Amino acid sequence: MTARAGGAGRGRFITFEGGEGAGKSTQIRRLAAHLRARSGRPVVTTREPGGSPRAEAIREALLAGLAKPHGPFAEALLFCAARIDHLDTLIRPALAAGEIVLCDRFADSTRAYQGAAGGLDPALLTSLEEVVVGQTRPDLTLILDCDPELGLARARARQSADETAGAAAGPDRFEAEALAFHARLRAAFLAIAAAEPGRCAVVNAALSADAVEAAIRTVVAERLPGLFAETPGAHGDAA
Ligand code: T5A
């Protein structure tokens, strides 16, 4: 295992969280382009579940609903198994090399989906998180917040476009859950943000993609000062 987020020789770890269709993937692409142009550091974009070949294989099974019959604890363990591989093969090496890692979902999604919305004991999930994530905590977590009906409508519109383009689509294991599940998710993410205001920032994801992008840039500049026009080594960050 490598050094903790924020320690000497480390890059920066930024996670994006929120409900279905909130716009995380869209905003990661936009922030990555901005940081590539302005930060002087390599920028890696990745996602969970997934982000490494073994974790992507687990993702396929999870989103197809293959683990659902085994219950939320088994699902949580599979998300953790994927996360362990992702951390070991991609996230920790990139951070150790001084890179910026932008990750579409991370451990907060397990807390929200399997915990608050799925009914697992939060203390159990905290223990799992300590073992799996250890000290590799995000430097900043952007929680994209919007009404779940809006997010699900966006996800459905994207699926229709994918189907029109000939790609396999349709709601995945979690998108297919009832609206009440998605309302619990939204409350769970807002509770995480309220409990950890130093790490988390809530962004209004109901706005236009351009407005959300501008809000995210402002938060990143405020929370991670010096990231822009920063070069690895400029502040003693020898990898
Ligand atoms: N999960 C994950 C767990 O249960 N536990 C865990 O521990 C983890 C890590 C992952 C699923 O796994 C669950 C959560 C998820 O259900 P996924 O396919 O990666 O599955 O699902 P999401 O992360 O929810 O990704 P989505 O692609 O559905 O949503 P995004 O990334 O938030 O949204 P995005 O950017 O793709 O945008 C959706 C559509 O809306 C448009 C986009 O163009 C796109 O068409 N859009 C906007 N439209 C208007 N205004 C805006 N501001 C817009 N922003 C985007």
Side-chain angles (χ1 to χ4, degrees), residues 153-167:
R154 285 179 185 169
R156 275 194 298 272
R158 189 200 47 215
Q159 281 151 19
S160 303
D162 289 348
E163 275 165 1
T164 305

Side-chain angles (χ1 to χ4, degrees), residues 19-26 48-49 59 63 79 83 104-106 109-110 113-114 154 158 172 174-175 205 207-209:
E20 306 289 324
K24 300 174 296 301
S25 312
T26 302
E48 288 210 349
R59 173 191 175 94
L63 298 195
F79 279 110
R83 186 163 299 134
D104 190 338
R105 297 194 181 281
F106 192 61
S109 281
T110 311
Y113 278 77
Q114 283 66 53
R154 285 179 185 169
R158 189 200 47 215
D172 68 31
F174 296 98
E175 284 166 354
L207 303 175
S208 71

Side-chain angles (χ1 to χ4, degrees), residues 11 38 52 189:
R38 299 283 301 278
S52 64
F189 281 121

